[in-house]
């Protein structure tokens, strides 16, 4: 199941389930330091994964909700890079996604890749171009889903 589908399923779960509460930033940071995240139903998973019940991790949910104002103009289904551009099985996937997320919150047009140190444009910066440049950008919001 892909990230957008998992997040949508989790939002549907929120509508019929009560008693859930998102973790605070310190708790989430502790989980991330351990390379794990809880899901709303208390399952433990890797941050970019969903649980066996199909719910997204709190890290993924909060990364898609905690957006700056400019982020609202991004297409809602391109929450994570296409797997051909950045697979969730990469060892540095969570660090890359955190760097992207922090750049979005700061309003930066990009970030330095945590592994290579190369500059990578954010989905917002690429979206503002108006079309795909066909260069294989990691966070391209136009790539086929």
């Amino acid at each position: 199941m892909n990230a957008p589908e998992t997040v949508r399923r989790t939002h549907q779960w929120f509508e019929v389930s009560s008693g859930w509460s998102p973790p605070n930033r310190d708790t989430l940071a502790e989980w991330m330091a351990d390379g794990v995240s809880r899901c709303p139903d208390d399952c433990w998973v890797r941050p970019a994964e969903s649980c066996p019940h199909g719910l997204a991790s709190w890290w993924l949910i909060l990364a898609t909700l905690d957006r700056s104002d400019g982020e609202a103009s991004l297409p809602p289904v391109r929450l994570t890079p296409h797997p051909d551009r950045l697979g969730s099985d990469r060892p540095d996937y969570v660090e890359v996604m955190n760097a992207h997320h922090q750049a979005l919150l700061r309003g930066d047009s990009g970030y330095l890749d945590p592994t290579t140190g190369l500059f990578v444009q954010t989905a917002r910066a690429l979206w503002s171009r108006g079309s795909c440049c066909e260069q294989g950008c990691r966070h391209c919001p136009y790539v086929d889903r």
Side-chain angles (χ1 to χ4, degrees):
M1 186 175 313
N2 63 29
E5 184 179 330
T6 302
V7 171
R8 276 193 290 276
R9 176 179 280 196
T10 305
H11 283 275
Q12 292 170 344
W13 184 85
F14 286 154
E15 292 175 9
V16 297
S17 300
S18 62
W20 56 268
S21 177
N24 63 40
R25 290 192 185 274
D26 291 339
T27 299
L28 189 60
E30 287 177 26
W31 294 346
M32 296 302 291
D34 292 337
V36 297
S37 179
R38 277 192 189 262
C39 294
D41 64 352
D42 288 333
C43 290
W44 286 100
V45 295
R46 289 180 22 196
E49 294 180 350
S50 59
C51 73
H53 310 107
L55 301 181
S57 72
W58 275 116
W59 175 80
L60 184 58
I61 295 163
L62 296 174
T64 61
L65 295 176
D66 190 10
R67 299 174 176 215
S68 65
D69 292 339
E71 189 73 1
S73 65
L74 283 176
V77 293
R78 185 79 287 163
L79 302 175
T80 58
H82 190 281
D84 292 345
R85 308 280 174 101
L86 180 71
S88 62
D89 57 343
R90 272 182 53 160
D92 62 349
Y93 182 82
V94 171
E95 290 80 13
V96 168
M97 292 305 296
N98 268 334
H100 180 260
H101 181 66
Q102 293 305 312
L104 289 172
L105 292 177
R106 290 188 306 268
D108 294 345
S109 63
Y111 62 94
L112 296 180
D113 181 278
T115 303
T116 66
L118 297 173
F119 184 79
V120 180
Q121 289 185 311
T122 65
R124 182 188 306 123
L126 296 167
W127 179 251
S128 69
R129 299 177 86 167
S131 64
C132 180
C133 67
E134 304 296 328
Q135 298 298 311
C137 300
R138 177 182 287 170
H139 298 285
C140 181
Y142 300 104
V143 70
D144 291 337
R145 291 156 183 86

